[in-house]
Amino acid sequence: STVVLVFQAPVSEMRNGQAISNFEFSVRNGDKVKVGEAIGRWHKS
Amino acid sequence: SGDLLRETSLFLSRPLHSPPPSFHFASTSGGAGGGAGSGNKFLVPGATVATMLMLGILHARRLYDDKKVEDRKEKGIEPEFSPDVKASFMKLLPLRSMSRFWGHLMEMQIPVFLRPTVYKAWARAFHSDLEEAALPLENYASLQEFFVRKLKEGSRPIDTDPNCLVSPVDGKILQIGEIRGPGALIDQVKGFSYSVSSLLGTNSNLHINDLEEEKSEEDLSGVVDVPGAKSWWCVSLASPKRQNPMSMRPKRGIFYCVIYLKPGDYHRVHSPVDWNILRRRHFSGRLFPQNERAVQTIRNLYIENERVVLEGEWKEGFIALAAIGATNIGSIRLFIEPEIQTNKPTAKLVPSERPDERMYEPGGTGVVVKKGEEVAAFYMG
């Protein structure tokens, strides 16, 4: 079984023509995770 | 295990008059033409040796394949999409019936004295941690009950950082990324992607929101920034320049995370954030396996399989959680809507494209769930 999560998260303004993401995943492909562990964080400006 | 079953069934289904490999082995060691009596004497040990040999070869092949996968990972080579004949053959199998039969088997009660042995064997085979089980093993009447067991209090501490999103399940991260560009695609594996609208449904709120935002931005930007529409004096008189309120808002990206649950993992689904669940969609699709090999060989695996999509809003905008069933774990139960039934017997050969949809409290706040709260569980069969 599989779970797919789709969500909106904050992205900062354009820099050098590219949107710089404020949200960052704290996991990588292949990592094992458990319920309650952070998979991504963002910083409020 | 699929290969093993296939090879074993092929071996066992040999016609009786066809001499098995063990016969030749027995004849050679016992002397050819020794009569029926001397041949039979070595038949059982011969068959056993042949079976052991076959199992050994299969195990060695599996180890070799695993080593190859590890080597590729170490070299940074991503697995690529490569459909094969076995994947095409899967579409012909009655996977739903097999899944339901499997579910019935798993619901059979196990005698109390056998329960610890059976569950420990399961845990050893699928690497489950029995120390985390909330109840003593004797309390789980069937493998099904054991499979969806709750965990001891405090086994899964929830990250309290308000600016983080937590994993809804135990599992392995298959894909993460940001959805960009036309088509809004999610990678299934390198070389094959599927659209987010196919996964969540074409009437998903995500697209409505995006279209509205884009339209508002276009309308507002059109007031002052149409190239060639204004002369220099018009621009200089338009002071102070009208501020686009959309540009004042923090921009938001759309991200995705795909997590695979192995059979030995804890199979309850928790809320990743505080959010309001506004609607639910149930797609009654197929029930292909979901293992890594299937991901690499079956096209549109996630959008063809049976799934339940919960959609709503959190403080940063849209959020949706899709729980996708598999052959062995095909049922999804929602704690917020216990009456929903999945993996039902269906007379349709081709699953309907239209999902069964329900809005929670139309016009209201929907169902409010807190970060870490249980929302669903996967069941076997």
Side-chain angles (χ1 to χ4, degrees):
Chain A
S1 39
T2 306
V3 163
V4 182
L5 205 57
V6 179
F7 56 95
Q8 286 186 306
V11 173
S12 68
E13 73 277 8
M14 303 287 279
R15 278 186 217 157
N16 301 328
Q18 283 199 328
I20 307 299
S21 176
N22 206 352
F23 173 83
E24 280 185 359
F25 281 105
S26 50
V27 289
R28 292 186 305 171
N29 290 350
D31 283 357
K32 287 181 180 169
V33 286
K34 290 196 170 180
V35 169
E37 287 178 359
I39 55 172
R41 294 180 195 277
W42 64 96
H43 310 284
K44 287 279 184 190
S45 55
Chain B
S1 62
D3 289 342
L4 178 65
L5 280 173
R6 187 171 53 79
E7 299 284 349
T8 312
S9 61
L10 276 175
F11 180 80
L12 294 175
S13 63
R14 289 176 71 92
L16 287 174
H17 60 267
S18 164
S22 55
F23 183 80
H24 299 295
F25 173 81
S27 299
T28 312
S29 59
S38 62
N40 286 341
K41 197 168 74 177
F42 293 104
L43 189 63
V44 174
T48 309
V49 169
T51 308
M52 297 289 284
L53 202 65
M54 184 189 71
L55 290 174
I57 290 168
L58 288 172
H59 186 63
R61 202 181 78 174
R62 177 60 53 88
L63 288 176
Y64 174 72
D65 287 347
D66 289 349
K67 180 85 172 56
K68 259 200 323 191
V69 170
E70 274 182 26
D71 286 349
R72 288 172 69 87
K73 272 183 190 168
E74 279 174 14
K75 288 176 188 167
I77 304 170
E78 278 185 60
E80 287 186 31
F81 185 75
S82 56
D84 61 7
V85 181
K86 280 184 186 173
S88 311
F89 179 68
M90 292 292 285
K91 295 187 178 180
L92 303 174
L93 293 175
L95 294 173
R96 182 171 297 276
S97 305
M98 289 161 69
S99 174
R100 290 175 57 79
F101 176 68
W102 172 249
H104 288 307
L105 274 182
M106 293 300 103
E107 280 171 358
M108 286 171 70
Q109 289 223 346
I110 299 172
V112 178
F113 72 95
L114 271 181
R115 288 174 190 172
T117 313
V118 172
Y119 303 147
K120 279 176 187 171
W122 175 278
R124 206 172 296 122
F126 297 110
H127 309 289
S128 309
D129 185 359
L130 292 179
E131 295 294 314
E132 293 180 330
L135 302 172
L137 295 182
E138 288 82 3
N139 290 33
Y140 301 107
S142 63
L143 258 169
Q144 181 76 276
E145 274 189 24
F146 172 74
F147 182 75
V148 290
R149 66 194 177 277
K150 283 186 168 229
L151 301 184
K152 280 178 187 160
E153 197 71 33
S155 295
R156 294 287 181 275
I158 308 297
D159 195 316
T160 51
D161 180 358
N163 292 339
C164 88
L165 192 124
V166 300
S167 175
V169 287
D170 281 12
K172 182 178 175 184
I173 305 282
L174 290 189
Q175 292 287 342
I176 52 170
E178 186 172 359
I179 298 170
R180 283 180 180 162
L185 298 174
I186 297 176
D187 289 338
Q188 179 173 315
V189 71
K190 188 181 175 188
F192 187 78
S193 306
Y194 55 95
S195 72
V196 70
S197 62
S198 315
L199 176 77
L200 305 179
T202 47
N203 51 348
S204 169
N205 268 359
L206 178 64
H207 311 289
I208 297 163
N209 288 345
D210 285 353
L211 287 172
E212 279 174 355
E213 281 192 11
E214 278 171 20
K215 191 172 182 307
S216 308
E217 278 179 335
E218 278 169 17
D219 290 346
L220 288 161
S221 60
V223 175
V224 290
D225 293 333
V226 179
K230 295 173 174 41
S231 63
W232 61 272
W233 57 268
C234 185
V235 173
S236 65
L237 287 174
S239 181
K241 186 178 176 181
R242 181 174 168 183
Q243 198 78 34
N244 180 351
M246 295 299 287
S247 65
M248 299 295 283
R249 282 174 52 183
K251 284 189 181 295
R252 289 172 296 182
I254 304 166
F255 299 85
Y256 67 89
C257 179
V258 185
I259 308 172
Y260 168 64
L261 292 80
K262 287 186 293 181
D265 287 332
Y266 169 63
H267 265 73
R268 286 175 181 254
V269 184
H270 294 244
S271 173
V273 286
D274 294 345
W275 61 310
N276 295 14
I277 304 175
L278 300 173
R279 64 179 76 192
R280 176 271 297 158
R281 273 181 223 105
H282 172 214
F283 296 79
S284 178
R286 299 175 188 271
L287 279 173
F288 291 124
Q290 296 268 306
N291 54 46
E292 287 184 56
R293 190 176 180 284
V295 173
Q296 288 168 33
T297 56
I298 300 176
R299 203 175 289 274
N300 288 326
L301 180 64
Y302 299 127
I303 58 176
E304 285 213 22
N305 266 28
E306 177 152 1
R307 62 197 180 279
V308 173
V309 174
L310 296 175
E311 196 176 283
E313 299 241 330
W314 70 306
K315 63 178 180 172
E316 300 296 345
F318 174 88
I319 185 165
L321 187 150
I324 307 168
T327 317
N328 52 351
I329 303 155
S331 297
I332 301 145
R333 295 192 195 167
L334 296 180
F335 299 125
I336 57 169
E337 189 188 341
E339 60 273 20
I340 187 175
Q341 286 190 337
T342 57
N343 198 0
K344 288 188 286 190
T346 174
K348 292 176 189 170
L349 287 173
V350 180
S352 166
E353 291 289 322
R354 287 178 62 83
D356 168 43
E357 184 168 315
R358 178 178 168 185
M359 285 191 75
Y360 298 119
E361 292 182 36
T365 54
V367 180
V368 181
V369 285
K370 294 283 174 196
K371 192 176 178 179
E373 197 176 316
E374 278 183 12
V375 289
F378 286 102
Y379 279 68
M380 289 197 283

